[in-house]
Amino acid sequence: GGGCFWCTEAVFLELEGVKTVTSGYIGGKTVNPSYSDICRGDTGHAEAIQITFDPSTISFGELLEVFFATHDPTTLNRQGNDVGTHYRSAIFYGNETQKNEAKDFIDTLSKAFVFKEPIVTQLQPLDIFYLAEASHHNYYNQNKEQAYCNFTITPKIEKIQQFFAEKLKSNK
């Protein structure tokens, strides 16, 4: 979870070794939530993406690097103008190795003062992941001209093109 799932999905779809990126909801109490449920802010769920990747091509650590470079992990329950617990920064880890790697990565960033403010990214065990409605899947690639996409997502794509060019599918 790194804010709006349209943003995170668009970023991670660009990476070589990432097989699938699926938008959905996780970490809350409501069973089978909808987008309108999430937007009320009382479900406890975060907008998030589920990433399937080939670890022989891209490591979990490299995914963490891109994750922390493409959202602000220091703002509690907000990313830019998107505000609410459903926009929180969170890593839903699948096993203890991922949990420890994410914790160590956060500790390294914190000790190096990469961010001016403390990192508030939550580490939570992987729970039931509910798929978002079909209209949210591959949203950026289908709506690039929409204002939100232009002002919020396109700069993230440009950032990974600049700083992570060697990891992009288009460069292979």
Side-chain angles (χ1 to χ4, degrees):
C4 171
F5 51 31
W6 297 344
C7 298
T8 51
E9 177 192 58
V11 165
F12 286 94
L13 279 173
E14 296 288 318
L15 300 176
E16 184 70 30
V18 169
K19 295 177 179 182
T20 62
V21 182
T22 307
S23 294
Y25 317 111
I26 189 170
K29 61 187 182 310
T30 302
V31 176
N32 292 319
S34 67
Y35 186 70
S36 60
D37 293 337
I38 299 298
C39 290
R40 277 197 326 264
D42 61 358
T43 66
H45 288 291
E47 285 192 18
I49 55 170
Q50 185 176 56
I51 302 170
T52 305
F53 65 100
D54 177 356
S56 68
T57 305
I58 190 164
S59 69
F60 183 69
E62 290 172 306
L63 295 175
L64 290 172
E65 186 180 354
V66 171
F67 173 75
F68 282 102
T70 55
H71 85 291
D72 184 351
T74 69
T75 54
L76 186 62
N77 300 328
R78 101 176 279 147
Q79 288 297 306
N81 292 326
D82 294 330
V83 179
T85 58
H86 52 295
Y87 294 118
R88 68 186 178 269
S89 177
I91 297 169
F92 298 91
Y93 56 87
N95 55 48
E96 287 299 307
T97 301
Q98 287 181 348
K99 176 186 177 181
N100 292 332
E101 192 169 346
K103 183 183 179 317
D104 291 346
F105 198 91
I106 291 169
D107 290 345
T108 298
L109 293 174
S110 297
K111 289 175 184 169
F113 300 102
V114 171
F115 299 99
K116 292 179 183 177
E117 300 296 325
I119 294 172
V120 297
T121 302
Q122 298 175 354
L123 297 179
Q124 296 179 250
L126 185 62
D127 195 4
I128 299 170
F129 183 83
Y130 297 99
L131 294 179
E133 296 82 351
S135 62
H136 296 292
H137 298 272
N138 202 23
Y139 188 87
Y140 175 72
N141 289 323
Q142 296 176 15
N143 297 279
K144 287 182 182 178
E145 299 308 315
Q146 193 240 32
Y148 182 89
C149 292
N150 269 318
F151 293 110
T152 306
I153 305 173
T154 298
K156 291 175 186 281
I157 298 299
E158 291 169 349
K159 184 174 187 175
I160 65 165
Q161 289 170 341
Q162 179 180 359
F163 294 104
F164 299 102
E166 74 285 354
K167 293 181 181 11
L168 301 180
K169 290 176 180 171
S170 60
N171 289 339
K172 299 293 178 191

